């Protein structure tokens, strides 16, 4: 169609329709080719229609600030979720969002055009399925796309926010869902750029919402992804230049694979998640913490790198069940790993250059009230303790290489128990080993060199004890203290 054509048309190339409303009003599934120009109005998209423009110069514009540019509303019979092909085991996602649609039947297609202004660019309801390819969304006052029931997929498209507090794509329950069954809401976004001050580039709300993001780049948004329930999977994507938590989850399940974050207050914030899986994640320059996990279970963090983090440390774990494999921390402030409560299994970690702004903390591993099993840890510089167990923590440590610890290399404090085996300590500013506050430290197969204030330092009050098994040290200072016991038995294994 061509809005510049005078008089009525019949939809042919020779006599195109003169208005988009006229073209969309025709019965049956049609493909509408839009010439360059502006098409003003709020349009309803019939099921299966295809709108194909000529690039950014083909612009659909809302007539009013509260209007929706394009509505895709299904019939009452379409409230059920879309029928999907069963994927192969290799391609199946836990969310189901990457399952391909059955051919193109019933799918509304938007291609090669721009959507500008209005409250929303596209609204999807009642089980409709909409796909966008090479579409740009700009100037919406509330958000680019709202999915209340149905599915929205996009590829090679852009979302630009011109005002704060907007959202790029949101999957949310309509108000009437409080008294009616909730329909599934899904989205798949591939090769998408979000730019500008979005409150959230993508928001997932409710148990029936799921999202798959692949090769998505978010720049300038407060959060790249915000979740209140639901499921999301993010692959080969990045977020940068934001101010809040780049990925924020409350009660939802999240899978991250090959994701990077630059800046942001936190790279990842997760609260009460039943499942979190992170594989191949990098955080650079977080303002507060790289990753913060609270009251969550079934947490797996693998191949995680945190370079530069603020006052809450690189990795902060609170009351959670967490397994960490192959962790790298560089230049963290206050803490490398902070674990409070819950259970931690840590394998293969390298922590370097942990510093403290107030001189109080700066611990590479700060383990408090937690049951921790730690193996294969390398520390290269910490202004505090290299490994601190405190406040009734129960820690088993094996195969540790600790260098340039500002305080003790191993410290058991305040009713904590730290069992350490196969540990090498070099260049501790104070002592290699320390205990206080009824803490118990048991060490076997220890090699210690160049400790500034001796091998052992302890406040021998109450139940405070240090048990020494096989120790190779050039310095025996502190071994004469009353709470230091020599034993020929190896230290107990992990509990």
């Amino acid at each position: 169609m061509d809005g510049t054509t005078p008089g009525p048309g019949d939809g042919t190339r020779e006599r195109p329709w003169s208005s988009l409303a006229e073209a969309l009003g025709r019965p049956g599934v049609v493909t509408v080719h839009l010439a360059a120009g502006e098409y003003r109005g709020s349009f309803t998209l019939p099921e299966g229609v295809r709108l194909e423009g000529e690039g950014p110069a083909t612009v659909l514009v809302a007539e009013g600030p509260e209007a929706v540019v394009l509505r895709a509303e299904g019939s009452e019979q379409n409230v059920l979720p879309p029928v999907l092909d069963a994927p192969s085991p290799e391609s199946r996602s836990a969310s189901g969002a990457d399952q391909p649609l059955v051919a193109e039947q019933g799918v509304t297609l938007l291609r090669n055009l721009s959507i500008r202004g209005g409250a929303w660019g596209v609204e999807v309801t009642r089980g409709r399925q909409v796909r966008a390819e090479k579409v740009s969304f700009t100037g919406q006052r509330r958000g680019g796309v709202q999915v209340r029931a149905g599915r929205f997929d996009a590829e090679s498209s852009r979302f630009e926010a011109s005002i704060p507090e907007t959202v790029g794509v949101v999957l949310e329950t309509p108000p009437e869902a409080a008294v009616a069954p909730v329909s599934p809401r899904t989205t798949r976004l591939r090769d998408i750029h979000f730019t500008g001050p979005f409150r959230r580039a993508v928001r997932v709300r409710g148990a029936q919402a799921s999202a798959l993001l692949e090769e998505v780049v978010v720049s300038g948004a407060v959060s790249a992804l915000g979740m209140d329930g639901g499921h999301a999977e993010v692959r080969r994507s990045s977020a940068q230049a934001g101010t809040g938590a780049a990925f924020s989850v409350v009660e939802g399940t999240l899978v991250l694979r090959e994701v990077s974050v630059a800046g942001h207050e936190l790279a990842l914030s997760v609260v009460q998640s039943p499942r979190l899986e992170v594989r191949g994640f990098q955080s650079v320059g977080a303002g507060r913490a790289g990753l913060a996990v609270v009251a969550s279970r079934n947490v797996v963090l693998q191949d995680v790198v945190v370079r530069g983090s603020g006052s809450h440390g690189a990795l902060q774990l609170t009351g959670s069940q967490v397994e960490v494999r192959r962790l790298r921390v560089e230049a963290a402030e206050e803490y490398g790993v902070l674990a409070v409560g819950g259970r931690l299994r840590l394998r293969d970690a390298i922590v370097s250059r942990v510093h403290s702004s107030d001189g109080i903390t700066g611990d590479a591993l700060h383990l408090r009230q937690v049951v921790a099993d730690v193996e294969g840890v390398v520390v290269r510089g910490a202004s505090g303790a290299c490994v601190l167990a405190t406040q009734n923590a129960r820690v088993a440590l094996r195969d540790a290489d600790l260098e340039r610890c500002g305080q003790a290399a191993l410290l058991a404090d305040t009713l904590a128990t730290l069992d350490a085996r196969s540990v090498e300590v070099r260049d501790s500013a104070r002592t290699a080993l320390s205990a206080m506050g009824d803490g118990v430290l048991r060490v076997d197969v220890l090699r210690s060199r160049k400790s500034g204030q001796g091998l052992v330092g302890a406040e021998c009050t109450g139940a405070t004890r240090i048990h020494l098994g096989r120790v190779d040290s050039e310095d025996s200072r502190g071994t004469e203290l009353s709470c230091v016991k020599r034993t020929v038995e190896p230290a107990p294994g992990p509990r």
Side-chain angles (χ1 to χ4, degrees):
M1 67 154 290
D2 187 345
T4 64
T5 301
D10 57 12
T12 62
R13 187 177 298 275
E14 293 75 20
R15 299 182 61 204
W17 288 307
S18 59
S19 77
L20 180 55
E22 179 186 4
L24 296 176
R26 295 287 174 166
V29 177
V30 296
T31 298
V32 181
H33 296 276
L34 299 171
E38 288 192 356
Y39 300 84
R40 294 185 171 273
S42 182
F43 306 102
T44 299
L45 298 170
E47 187 172 350
V49 72
R50 300 164 64 98
L51 296 185
E52 304 215 17
E54 295 184 353
T58 300
V59 184
L60 307 182
V61 185
E63 286 287 4
E66 297 303 315
V68 176
V69 182
L70 296 174
R71 295 181 186 271
E73 183 174 1
S75 64
E76 293 293 343
Q77 289 77 19
N78 285 341
V79 174
L80 295 175
V83 179
L84 304 173
D85 281 335
S88 66
E90 292 77 17
S91 65
R92 185 178 293 114
S93 164
S95 71
D98 60 345
Q99 300 176 18
L101 293 167
V102 176
E104 293 290 333
Q105 185 175 3
V107 179
T108 296
L109 176 65
L110 312 174
R111 178 181 288 159
N112 217 22
L113 51 83
S114 297
I115 298 174
R116 191 173 70 204
W120 295 97
V122 174
E123 183 180 76
V124 181
T125 63
R126 294 190 177 184
R128 285 290 300 275
Q129 301 172 17
V130 177
R131 179 176 299 168
E133 299 176 6
K134 297 182 180 178
V135 175
S136 63
F137 294 80
T138 59
Q140 282 75 45
R141 299 181 63 83
R142 297 182 62 186
V145 177
Q146 181 184 46
V147 182
R148 292 190 166 189
R151 178 174 180 134
F152 175 81
D153 294 345
E155 185 168 355
S156 303
S157 298
R158 299 184 63 90
F159 293 77
E160 297 182 13
S162 55
I163 59 176
E165 300 302 318
T166 55
V167 64
V169 177
V170 60
L171 312 177
E172 63 181 352
T173 307
E176 58 269 21
V179 294
V182 178
S183 297
R185 303 167 304 285
T186 64
T187 188
R188 178 175 181 171
L189 307 176
R190 183 197 295 270
D191 184 22
I192 307 296
H193 288 250
F194 294 90
T195 59
F198 288 108
R199 176 64 182 172
R200 299 172 184 87
V202 179
R203 187 172 191 187
V204 176
R205 301 185 66 186
Q208 294 296 313
S210 61
L212 173 62
L213 282 61
E214 297 179 292
E215 299 169 14
V216 171
V217 177
V218 181
S219 180
V222 175
S223 291
L225 173 66
M227 299 180 62
D228 299 290
H231 176 92
E233 185 166 341
V234 184
R235 305 172 184 167
R236 303 180 303 279
S237 298
S238 64
Q240 60 190 13
T243 56
F247 296 89
S248 176
V249 182
V250 178
E251 296 183 348
T253 64
L254 176 63
V255 177
L256 298 178
R257 297 180 184 273
E258 304 302 324
V259 172
S260 64
V261 177
H264 283 271
E265 186 177 41
L266 298 95
L268 174 62
S269 172
V270 179
V271 178
Q272 295 183 338
S273 172
R275 175 177 172 243
L276 172 66
E277 181 181 328
V278 178
R279 300 179 188 273
F281 185 84
Q282 177 172 283
S283 167
V284 178
R288 291 177 59 193
L291 295 81
V293 180
V294 179
S296 298
R297 62 187 188 276
N298 301 315
V299 177
V300 175
L301 309 177
Q302 180 174 302
D303 297 315
V304 172
V305 177
V306 181
R307 292 191 173 96
S309 52
S311 59
H312 289 63
L315 184 59
Q316 183 185 92
L317 311 171
T318 305
S320 300
Q321 299 174 1
V322 183
E323 180 172 351
V324 182
R325 298 191 291 266
R326 296 191 293 275
L327 171 69
R328 302 294 180 267
V329 173
E330 300 176 10
E333 185 177 338
E334 309 304 341
Y335 307 101
V337 176
L338 170 63
V340 181
R343 288 183 172 271
L344 169 64
R345 187 174 187 267
L346 174 61
R347 296 290 185 271
D348 186 16
I350 299 177
V351 181
S352 61
R353 294 181 290 131
V354 182
H355 61 280
S356 172
S357 59
D358 56 13
I360 296 175
T361 53
D363 304 323
L365 272 63
H366 185 108
L367 308 173
R368 187 191 315 165
Q369 301 171 349
V370 66
V371 177
D373 181 5
V374 181
E375 183 175 343
V377 172
V378 175
V379 177
R380 294 291 182 262
S383 63
C386 279
V387 180
L388 167 64
T390 187
Q391 293 183 12
N392 207 36
R394 298 291 180 264
V395 179
L397 173 69
R398 298 178 300 283
D399 299 329
D401 185 351
L402 313 177
E403 182 178 293
R404 301 193 309 276
C405 310
Q407 298 180 18
L410 303 177
L411 171 58
D413 186 15
T414 316
L415 302 172
T417 299
L418 172 55
D419 293 316
R421 182 184 179 92
S422 299
V423 178
E424 181 157 349
V425 177
R426 295 183 301 279
D427 298 315
S428 282
R430 297 185 183 179
T431 60
L433 311 175
S434 183
M436 61 187 70
D438 297 326
V440 176
L441 172 59
R442 289 188 282 261
V443 181
D444 188 39
V445 192
L446 168 72
R447 186 174 187 268
S448 177
R449 294 290 183 270
K450 297 181 181 179
S451 296
Q453 297 181 12
L455 177 65
V456 179
E459 296 178 4
C460 294
T461 58
T464 301
R465 295 289 185 274
I466 296 179
H467 299 272
L468 299 180
R470 291 164 288 183
V471 174
D472 175 8
S473 175
E474 60 190 11
D475 190 341
S476 62
R477 284 179 293 170
T479 57
E480 73 282 358
L481 294 171
S482 61
C483 59
V484 177
K485 307 298 181 184
R486 289 279 189 175
T487 175
V488 295
E489 297 86 2
R495 297 177 180 178

